[in-house]
Amino acid sequence: METTLKTKKEITDGEDAFMSSPVKTEKGIDSSEAIPEALSIKMEKGNDGNDNQSEASINPVDKITSLKTLGPFIASKDNTRNIRYLSDVPEICLRESCMLGVDEAGRGPVLGPMVYGIAYCPLNSKETLTDLGCADSKELTEEKRDVIFDNINTQHYANSCIGWAVEIISPNVISNNMLGRKKCSLNEISMNAAIDLIHAALEAGVNIAEVYVDTVGPPEKYQEKLQKIFPQLQITVAKKADSTFPIVSAASICAKVTRDHSLKVWQFPEGLKLTSKDFGSGYPGDPITRKFLSENVNYIFGFPRIVRFSWSTAQNALSETACVVEFDEPDSEKPKYAGPKLTTFFQSTTKTGEVQREQCRLLKERFLDSVVDF
């Protein structure tokens, strides 16, 4: 399969992954960088007839209106940075009280982004979610998830009352956060993404009344944290919420479909000419993923940035084949003081009441004694 990419860079090569300020474009899009001016991607079908994209050239898009436009939108972004997208808010969601669901996709893989998604609709629109077939995204086939996502965006009965948003968390950002001097755990990254998406929906004017979240860690502590941040909302955090609450299922489907297509249109900044068939699902147990990791280790720089360096699977592979690098750490030894420690002046007395204390250096040097009896 042949891939050709032409793009106009808008950022400097050495810029850190975190140092991006959100740029809000029209029609509900909010991402960490602007869309490149020129982008042309051409995909040819493989021998099995299944291609990652259509044979036609993909033009950059600034709005996701269907499944067909999802890939081109993601492909037009810098995949070393986080990307956030908010759909248009249905008018009814501005007036009527809504429920909002939160879920993620791609938490466990060693390759590719983790995607957080939200979906929202009026409290009285539960039947619409049922008609769409919203269920736990892990229980649905990829084809079924794609159909539901496309229907959410193209069918009037759905897009007139359901809105959604996603945060695509780059593997580069995950690695930098988890391995930096000021470490940030994956749970913290996940919670921050969920909180930011809820804030984004509120700022867009969505009349949120109830929030349902698939938990990260202990649900009680997570719920308490969210309730403090959003005291005006009724929040429920539960295990396997995506199989219990249809609105969480809708969020799960949006997140999962977005991650799947992020991998399908992944462009390697390192210049590798590979497709998703060459690196597999990204899960450590996938033999194709393991083969990709073993065959794409640079002796000095390690893996391409699609890999999460903070995963033990990646670290073990690097320890076997990559160069060992040592970093100078600041001296961790305790400073040595010239004088006595302060605690020496607070020593206990003997059984007879005498204080066992060394004479002060000032008195000792001058051959003086403390006078206690006159």
Side-chain angles (χ1 to χ4, degrees):
M1 183 176 290
E2 180 183 348
T3 305
T4 305
L5 173 67
K6 296 179 181 179
T7 181
K8 180 178 179 181
K9 296 187 69 175
E10 297 185 341
I11 60 172
T12 58
D13 291 335
E15 198 168 356
D16 188 84
F18 314 121
M19 303 302 292
S20 61
S21 57
V23 177
K24 193 165 186 176
T25 59
E26 59 182 355
K27 297 186 180 180
I29 298 173
D30 188 3
S31 68
S32 59
E33 54 137 358
I35 299 174
E37 293 180 1
L39 177 67
S40 175
I41 301 176
K42 183 178 180 182
M43 295 284 187
E44 295 183 359
K45 287 189 175 182
N47 296 331
D48 58 358
N50 295 321
D51 57 344
N52 289 340
Q53 294 293 323
S54 62
E55 290 180 293
S57 296
I58 301 177
N59 296 318
V61 296
D62 61 355
K63 185 177 180 180
I64 300 172
T65 57
S66 65
L67 180 69
K68 186 177 180 180
T69 56
L70 176 61
F73 176 83
I74 298 172
S76 68
K77 302 297 180 181
D78 179 1
N79 57 29
T80 65
R81 297 173 177 239
N82 289 355
I83 302 168
R84 183 185 300 169
Y85 178 85
L86 282 78
S87 71
D88 290 338
V89 179
E91 186 178 349
I92 193 173
C93 294
L94 301 173
R95 303 190 313 268
E96 298 188 10
S97 297
C98 295
M99 54 183 169
L100 181 146
V102 183
D103 200 7
E104 52 78 25
R107 180 179 173 84
V110 66
L111 302 182
M114 177 173 68
V115 180
Y116 253 81
I118 63 170
Y120 53 86
C121 70
L123 295 173
N124 58 6
S125 298
K126 293 181 180 180
E127 290 186 4
T128 304
L129 298 172
T130 304
D131 294 340
L132 283 167
C134 290
D136 183 0
S137 66
K138 301 178 186 65
E139 302 296 328
L140 300 172
T141 64
E142 181 178 351
E143 293 75 14
K144 182 61 176 177
R145 289 194 299 266
D146 286 349
V147 170
I148 294 174
F149 179 85
D150 193 55
N151 288 340
I152 290 175
N153 288 278
T154 60
Q155 299 301 313
H156 178 71
Y157 79 92
N159 61 29
S160 61
C161 65
I162 298 176
W164 61 278
V166 289
E167 178 92 12
I168 305 175
I169 306 171
S170 169
N172 183 53
V173 173
I174 294 174
S175 298
N176 288 343
N177 271 277
M178 296 183 69
L179 297 176
R181 285 191 180 274
K182 187 178 179 181
K183 290 178 170 49
C184 183
S185 70
L186 190 64
N187 280 359
E188 291 178 282
I189 297 171
S190 301
M191 291 180 184
N192 290 339
I195 292 167
D196 289 345
L197 285 173
I198 296 173
H199 273 304
L202 289 170
E203 291 171 3
V206 182
N207 185 16
I208 303 173
E210 301 175 4
V211 176
Y212 300 90
V213 184
D214 194 31
T215 191
V216 172
E220 297 80 11
K221 292 184 178 180
Y222 192 10
Q223 181 168 321
E224 182 182 358
K225 179 176 181 176
L226 292 176
Q227 199 67 71
K228 288 181 179 178
I229 299 173
F230 305 103
Q232 76 279 21
L233 305 179
Q234 179 183 329
I235 297 177
T236 301
V237 179
K239 296 180 179 179
K240 300 187 181 299
D242 48 351
S243 59
T244 306
F245 306 103
I247 193 63
V248 180
S249 301
S252 178
I253 290 168
C254 291
K256 182 64 176 173
V257 171
T258 300
R259 172 177 157 80
D260 290 344
H261 286 262
S262 296
L263 293 176
K264 288 182 179 180
V265 299
W266 188 272
Q267 303 297 319
F268 287 88
E270 299 82 7
L272 298 176
K273 303 298 181 182
L274 301 174
T275 69
S276 59
K277 294 179 181 178
D278 299 311
F279 52 77
S281 64
Y283 284 90
D286 187 338
I288 300 178
T289 299
R290 286 188 171 277
K291 181 181 178 183
F292 169 83
L293 292 173
S294 63
E295 294 179 352
N296 290 276
V297 180
N298 183 283
Y299 183 69
I300 301 297
F301 299 105
F303 294 112
R305 280 177 283 184
I306 191 175
V307 179
R308 303 178 189 178
F309 283 71
S310 49
W311 258 235
S312 60
T313 304
Q315 293 176 354
N316 292 339
L318 288 177
S319 64
E320 295 174 359
T321 55
C323 175
V324 176
V325 180
E326 294 182 0
F327 295 93
D328 291 333
E329 295 291 341
D331 188 6
S332 60
E333 293 184 3
K334 295 182 179 179
K336 297 179 180 179
Y337 299 98
K341 295 181 179 180
L342 184 62
T343 54
T344 60
F345 295 96
F346 299 95
Q347 295 177 355
S348 60
T349 60
T350 63
K351 292 181 179 180
T352 59
E354 296 179 358
V355 177
Q356 293 181 329
R357 184 184 303 161
E358 186 177 351
Q359 189 179 30
C360 172
R361 186 178 64 181
L362 176 66
L363 299 179
K364 186 186 294 185
E365 289 176 350
R366 289 163 177 76
F367 301 99
L368 300 175
D369 292 324
S370 299
V371 178
V372 293
D373 295 325
F374 296 94

